Amino acid sequence: MNNGTLETLQADRSTASTRAARPAVNAGELAGLKRELLQAEMRLAKARATIAGAEVDVKVLTAQLKAFTK
């Protein structure tokens, strides 16, 4: 008796039924979602650049403060 095969077959059926149950997505909705995702990725990239700049500022100012206090 091989329970692994039975579990695999049941998992395959479950995945296939999930795919069939998905509603059809129209092209306009898909394009809108892609555009929103691209905009979110751009905002994230800008935020990361801002963080990197702030980290550099902190390091420079910390070094200047240490040099000044010596």
Side-chain angles (χ1 to χ4, degrees):
M1 192 182 292
N2 187 351
N3 291 337
T5 304
L6 179 60
E7 289 172 5
T8 302
L9 291 174
Q10 289 172 345
D12 288 344
R13 282 190 212 128
S14 173
T15 304
S17 65
T18 302
R19 275 190 234 131
R22 283 189 192 162
V25 177
N26 65 34
E29 185 179 359
L30 183 58
L33 289 172
K34 286 181 179 179
R35 184 174 50 254
E36 288 180 33
L37 177 59
L38 181 59
Q39 289 172 348
E41 288 174 342
M42 289 172 56
R43 287 193 311 270
L44 179 59
K46 288 179 182 178
R48 285 182 174 158
T50 300
I51 290 169
E55 288 174 339
V56 169
D57 290 346
V58 167
K59 288 179 182 178
V60 168
L61 291 171
T62 301
Q64 288 176 347
L65 180 62
K66 285 181 181 178
F68 185 75
T69 56
K70 285 186 178 183

